[in-house]
């Protein structure tokens, strides 16, 4: 899963026409099985083994089909797929971040999955996840794993500070982190200054990066400014960990939290397994998971995850095989196996079996999914994180004012969305 935010969509690649997407699928001789290629972007160390095992199960159940497994680092996969699709060499199936799906669909790289075996059980998936696998009313992906952001907290540190429940608002978080620092010596809260992690502050004020319905960039709207100012206030308050803007910030924050040096962070379920390896969470029940605190108008966190998508350039035989493979890999049984082995969240309610929800990390985040905010089905949406993050770091570091920084972020966003106005 995500260990940082994916590289921005290379917008120029979106202009490559669908005519470039022909051929390039894995070959097979006429008498042998059809072999499809799957690019898996999961964690090669902690997650890939489970998917390789599922491939064996799939091939056993479908002796006329074979799967060539290729592990592709998540941070490289978006650009690699764009390049491969443009030169007719893309894999038949890709594990794609939900934010990539609209852009790939617009470019003509993906085959619609409506009314195919891949989508036969689409009605059993979380509706919000299906929504962000669609583009212009067509389904281009089947959700394989999902995630959202929540407040991870150390129950023991909270108890020592006299805190009996997770903070429900940002002001309560400020109060709680000061208590933790005063009573335990640990930092009360640490923030990862990446664009994705600021979204709960925007959502809390009723803002987003864009208003697609009105073709407006809202990164610099009064609501967005208020959201970032709220974050600024938290980071300047007693009990906040000193802001880390180094290239190792993500790893440093996770290490501090998992070893009990920080009491609370905003994080997603892809870190469950790593948190449980930390000294502070040898007892897994010490991990608290709560919704992100509320802003003045709302409460919300982005829905994330990965879809399995099929390359539009594959021939009919490989398309059919890809559809069967996607259906198998997103089935109830497969999702249950992945959840039990990898600790990630299924995308369909029937896969949250009694055995799966014994994992407190999965059980905790399952309850947050219904409040998750689906990503806007805009091909350029994921690219907007880059200008937001660039200015966010300057703002929280004191190098730029909130409004002026967000104005600059909006100006950069307009380069990606020339037909949009700014707030």
């Amino acid at each position: 899963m995500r260990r940082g935010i994916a590289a921005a969509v290379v917008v120029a690649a979106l202009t490559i026409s669908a005519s470039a997407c022909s051929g390039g699928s894995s070959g097979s001789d006429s008498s042998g099985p059809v072999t499809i290629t799957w690019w898996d972007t999961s964690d090669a160390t902690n997650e890939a083994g489970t998917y390789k095992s599922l491939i064996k199960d799939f091939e056993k159940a479908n002796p006329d089909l074979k799967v060539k497994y290729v592990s592709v680092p998540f941070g490289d996969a978006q650009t690699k797929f764009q390049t491969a699709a443009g030169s007719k060499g893309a894999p038949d199936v890709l594990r794609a971040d939900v934010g990539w799906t609209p852009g790939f669909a617009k470019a003509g790289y993906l085959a619609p999955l409506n009314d195919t075996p891949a989508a036969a059980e689409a009605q059993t998936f979380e509706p919000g996840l299906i929504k962000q696998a669609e583009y212009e009313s067509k389904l281009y992906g089947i959700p394989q794993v999902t995630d959202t952001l929540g407040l991870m907290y150390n129950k023991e540190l909270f108890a020592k500070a006299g805190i009996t429940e997770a903070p429900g608002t940002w002001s309560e978080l400020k109060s709680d982190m000061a208590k933790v620092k005063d009573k335990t010596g640990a930092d009360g809260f640490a923030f990862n200054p990446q664009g994705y992690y600021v979204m709960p502050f925007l959502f809390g004020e009723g803002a987003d990066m864009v208003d697609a319905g009105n073709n407006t960039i809202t990164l610099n709207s009064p609501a967005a400014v208020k959201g970032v100012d709220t974050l600024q206030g938290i980071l300047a308050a007693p009990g906040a960990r000193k802001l880390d803007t180094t290239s190792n910030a993500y790893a440093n924050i996770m290490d501090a939290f998992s070893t009990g040096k920080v009491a609370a962070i905003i994080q997603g379920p892809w870190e469950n397994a790593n948190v449980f390896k930390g000294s502070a969470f040898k007892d897994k029940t010490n991990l608290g998971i709560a919704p992100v605190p509320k802003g003045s108008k709302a409460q919300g966190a982005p829905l994330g995850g990965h879809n399995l998508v099929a390359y539009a350039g594959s021939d009919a035989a490989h398309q059919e095989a890809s559809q069967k493979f996607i259906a198998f890999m997103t089935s109830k049984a497969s999702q249950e196996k992945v959840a039990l082995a990898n600790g990630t969240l299924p995308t369909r309610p029937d896969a949250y079996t009694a055995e799966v929800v014994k994992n407190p990390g999965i059980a905790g985040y399952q309850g947050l999914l219904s409040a998750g905010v689906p990503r806007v089905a805009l091909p350029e949406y994921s690219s907007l994180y880059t200008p937001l993050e660039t200015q966010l770091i300057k703002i929280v570091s004191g190098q730029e004012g909130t409004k002026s920084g967000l104005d600059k972020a909006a100006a950069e966003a307009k380069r990606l969305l020339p037909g949009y106005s700014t707030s």
Side-chain angles (χ1 to χ4, degrees), residues 25-36 64 315 317-318:
S25 57
S26 304
S28 62
D29 63 52
S30 58
S31 61
V34 173
T35 299
I36 60 172
D64 58 332
D315 61 29
H318 289 82

Side-chain angles (χ1 to χ4, degrees), residues 42 87 135 176 201 316 343 416:
S42 71
S87 61
Y135 178 66
D176 287 348
F201 293 91
L416 302 174

Side-chain angles (χ1 to χ4, degrees), residues 112-336:
L113 298 176
N114 307 77
D115 303 317
T116 72
E121 296 184 334
Q123 73 282 355
T124 67
F125 289 73
E126 290 282 353
L129 304 182
I130 290 294
K131 180 179 179 180
Q132 61 183 16
E134 295 176 334
Y135 178 66
E136 295 186 341
S137 301
K138 291 184 179 180
L139 182 65
Y140 285 97
I142 304 299
Q144 184 190 35
V145 296
T146 188
D147 60 65
T148 190
L149 291 176
L151 187 75
M152 277 187 174
Y153 64 97
N154 185 314
K155 292 180 180 179
E156 182 180 1
L157 288 176
F158 270 38
K160 287 181 179 179
I163 304 167
T164 58
E165 60 184 7
T169 65
W170 296 121
S171 61
E172 289 175 4
L173 174 63
K174 286 175 69 173
S175 175
D176 287 348
M177 66 191 200
K179 292 176 184 177
V180 169
K181 187 66 174 180
D182 181 57
K183 298 294 185 181
T184 73
D187 292 321
F189 176 72
F191 180 73
N192 178 22
Q194 292 181 315
Y196 191 72
Y197 291 83
V198 79
M199 296 310 294
F201 293 91
L202 300 189
F203 293 153
E205 301 306 322
D208 201 330
M209 295 192 289
V210 293
D211 177 351
N214 291 306
N215 290 350
T216 304
I217 295 164
T218 55
L219 275 172
N220 60 337
S221 65
V225 170
K226 185 174 181 180
V228 175
D229 278 343
T230 298
L231 171 60
Q232 282 275 70
I234 290 171
L235 296 179
R241 189 174 184 84
K242 182 180 179 181
L243 188 68
D244 187 342
T245 59
T246 69
S247 59
N248 293 322
Y250 187 97
N252 293 339
I253 290 169
M254 291 312 305
D255 179 70
F257 178 70
S258 63
T259 57
K261 297 173 185 175
V262 169
I265 58 174
I266 297 171
Q267 192 51 281
W270 55 87
E271 284 293 352
N272 280 338
N274 288 328
V275 167
F276 290 142
K277 293 176 183 177
S279 58
F281 300 98
K282 289 182 179 179
D283 176 2
K284 292 183 178 181
T285 63
N286 189 39
L287 177 63
I289 298 170
V292 293
K294 295 179 182 178
S296 67
K297 291 188 176 180
Q299 180 180 39
L303 278 176
H306 291 82
N307 299 323
L308 291 185
V309 299
Y311 175 44
S314 298
D315 61 29
H318 289 82
Q319 288 282 353
E320 182 179 355
S322 297
Q323 294 160 10
K324 288 182 179 180
F325 179 65
I326 290 173
F328 180 89
M329 296 296 282
T330 57
S331 67
K332 173 182 179 292
S334 293
Q335 290 206 31
E336 180 180 6

